[in-house]
Amino acid sequence: MAICVSEYKGGRKKPKNADLQKQFITQAKKTEERAWLSEVSAVPLQQSLNDLEQAYKNFFNSCKGKRKGQRIKPPWFKKRFFKQSARFTNTGFSLKGGQIYLAKIGDLDVVWSRELPSAPSSVTVIKDSAKRYFLSFVVEIKPENLPQSDNGIGIDLGIKTFATLSNGQKIEAPKPLTRRIRKLRKLSKKLSRKTRGSKRYEYSGKRLAKFHAKLADNRTDFLHKLSTQIICSNQTIVLEDLNVSGLVKNRKLSRAISDLGWRKFRTFLEAKSESSGREFRVINRWEPTSQKCSCCGFRIGKLDLSIREWVCLNCGTSHDRDVNAAVNILVAGGHSETLNGRGGQRQTTTICSSDKRCVNPPEFQQLSIFELLE
């Protein structure tokens, strides 16, 4: 990394990956300062330089507009107390019963969380900030399609209620950070009072890291269970595209939004839908799902966040704000329709927020707000 930065500041091009591996692995082992490199396997050393090459490639493609999404920053040094990893390919590890052998490390006793579905192509040894060790295997799996279902579900994500489903079900989030915010402040204050670099500082930092790891585990466990339940019971899942990175910039809501894990929930749904033969759809974030009546399609306009229930001025249907938005999300995903113009007339059967069929809904009339209130 340092040689790449110095070459860039000198106006020269970044060295090639082959030159870096020759300089910092092959030749460095022969020097006294880097002789310790011979004590570890060359496989993770090579993989770390390959990752550096891929990181620079992603950065250059992002600058040139060849990479989709937000513009990414150039790679930088990792901190010693942050998460660390080492990846071993086929030549650097082997499985023997319940043990795994790593090159120049030896046999390791592993507590398996599940059986491997096939032979792994690589394994990554991960050490998190709480000094816990994990093994992550790359295996090839065959997708197993779940039984077909006619059910479709729309999901409206929120802060007070994590998810509201189009069938009227509301799911509360565990909010692990909100419930333990006092303990977080206490551990953070203890860490700030210690001298940086001392043993007590390292001990307090480890306690704080374990606390954050426990919060992350609770959140991930909740998201895994909820996503699996939704995937097993529905054929079509429709979700609204949320600008999470933009919403987190709001200093009043950033902690609450980060505590929910919206983006990770979407990732779980998308991955499990692909492996289970389900259909996952995402609608436009600008769709006015909370402003339209899910029964007749009348658009009432923007509502204040304090209003959780409202009555449609056209058909008189009483709506729960979140349930109505979830139904509109399902409709916008193309699973069903509320209004369908056929010969200039409205469709005579629509889906209401109560998940029942409305027979012969009133004709939509272009009336002013004053006429509707009379």
Side-chain angles (χ1 to χ4, degrees):
M1 176 72 72
I3 189 65
C4 295
V5 175
S6 62
E7 291 291 320
Y8 170 77
K9 290 182 178 180
R12 295 177 292 272
K13 293 184 177 180
K14 184 186 78 67
K16 296 182 179 180
N17 186 30
D19 298 335
L20 291 176
Q21 293 198 9
K22 182 178 180 181
Q23 179 180 356
F24 292 101
I25 297 180
T26 307
Q27 297 178 357
K29 290 181 179 180
K30 302 177 182 179
T31 62
E32 296 182 0
E33 298 178 352
R34 304 280 182 174
W36 54 270
L37 290 175
S38 301
E39 301 176 3
V40 298
S41 173
V43 176
L45 299 178
Q46 295 171 355
Q47 295 301 320
S48 62
L49 291 178
N50 293 338
D51 292 341
L52 177 64
E53 180 69 17
Q54 185 63 40
Y56 270 113
K57 184 177 180 180
N58 295 338
F59 168 67
F60 293 141
N61 290 338
S62 179
C63 294
K64 297 177 182 178
K66 297 181 180 180
R67 180 183 175 88
K68 296 182 180 180
Q70 295 182 352
R71 186 171 178 176
I72 61 176
K73 297 180 180 179
W76 199 242
F77 298 100
K78 290 184 178 180
K79 292 188 178 180
R80 184 164 61 95
F81 295 103
F82 283 16
K83 184 175 72 172
Q84 302 176 18
S85 62
R87 187 166 69 253
F88 292 81
T89 55
N90 284 327
T91 58
F93 78 98
S94 61
L95 292 173
K96 298 179 181 179
Q99 291 183 333
I100 180 172
Y101 170 79
L102 298 178
K104 292 194 175 182
I105 294 180
D107 295 330
L108 298 178
D109 293 328
V110 183
V111 179
W112 297 92
S113 60
R114 69 190 72 178
E115 295 183 0
L116 296 177
S118 61
S121 60
S122 67
V123 59
T124 303
V125 183
I126 302 173
K127 177 186 176 183
D128 63 3
S129 55
K131 296 185 179 181
R132 302 181 303 175
Y133 289 87
F134 300 93
L135 294 178
S136 176
F137 295 89
V138 177
V139 296
E140 183 178 358
I141 60 174
K142 296 181 180 179
E144 299 179 0
N145 295 339
L146 296 174
Q148 292 290 326
S149 174
D150 296 332
N151 298 332
I153 200 74
I155 306 174
D156 178 59
L157 300 179
I159 296 180
K160 290 187 177 180
T161 303
F162 176 78
T164 303
L165 308 183
S166 56
N167 58 9
Q169 182 182 1
K170 293 189 176 183
I171 301 171
E172 300 294 334
K175 298 181 180 179
L177 178 59
T178 304
R179 296 182 179 181
R180 302 187 181 113
I181 189 64
R182 295 183 62 183
K183 185 175 181 180
L184 174 63
R185 291 170 178 169
K186 182 178 179 181
L187 293 176
S188 300
K189 187 177 291 186
K190 284 186 176 181
L191 178 64
S192 63
R193 290 173 177 174
K194 303 296 186 297
T195 303
R196 186 179 294 271
S198 63
K199 291 186 177 180
R200 289 186 176 183
Y201 182 86
E202 184 177 354
Y203 174 75
S204 299
K206 184 179 179 180
R207 287 190 62 189
L208 183 60
K210 285 186 175 181
F211 176 78
H212 279 292
K214 186 175 182 179
L215 298 183
D217 291 343
N218 292 342
R219 188 181 302 110
T220 304
D221 179 70
F222 164 75
L223 296 177
H224 266 301
K225 291 179 178 178
L226 178 59
S227 58
T228 302
Q229 179 184 356
I230 293 175
I231 292 295
C232 291
S233 56
N234 298 280
Q235 180 66 30
T236 305
I237 300 94
V238 186
L239 199 66
E240 187 178 12
D241 182 26
L242 297 176
N243 184 17
V244 181
S245 59
L247 293 172
V248 170
K249 294 179 181 179
N250 187 337
R251 62 183 183 87
K252 295 183 179 180
L253 301 176
S254 59
R255 186 171 63 193
I257 294 175
S258 301
D259 195 19
L260 295 171
W262 285 344
R263 181 62 200 184
K264 183 177 288 188
F265 179 63
R266 172 178 169 176
T267 303
F268 288 167
L269 285 177
E270 190 172 1
K272 294 178 182 180
S273 298
E274 185 177 354
S275 62
S276 303
R278 300 306 197 194
E279 188 173 2
F280 179 74
R281 304 176 184 174
V282 180
I283 68 170
N284 189 355
R285 69 182 63 168
W286 305 112
E287 187 72 23
T289 55
S290 61
Q291 302 177 17
K292 292 193 303 184
C293 173
S294 58
C295 183
C296 65
F298 176 74
R299 185 167 177 176
I300 194 173
K302 190 173 183 179
L303 299 174
D304 190 81
L305 292 177
S306 60
I307 301 176
R308 310 315 303 174
E309 295 182 359
W310 57 280
V311 178
C312 179
L313 300 176
N314 182 51
C315 64
T317 307
S318 178
H319 292 294
D320 181 281
R321 181 192 182 114
D322 298 330
V323 176
N324 177 72
V327 175
N328 287 329
I329 290 174
L330 178 63
V331 172
H335 184 264
S336 58
E337 294 183 357
T338 54
L339 295 175
N340 184 14
R342 293 183 179 179
Q345 295 182 355
R346 298 288 172 175
Q347 188 178 356
T348 59
T349 305
T350 60
I351 297 180
C352 298
S353 59
S354 58
D355 202 24
K356 296 180 180 179
R357 295 281 179 172
C358 293
V359 181
N360 297 327
E363 292 294 333
F364 181 80
Q365 300 176 0
Q366 296 292 340
L367 301 178
S368 66
I369 187 64
F370 301 103
E371 292 173 326
L372 292 172
L373 291 175
E374 289 180 354

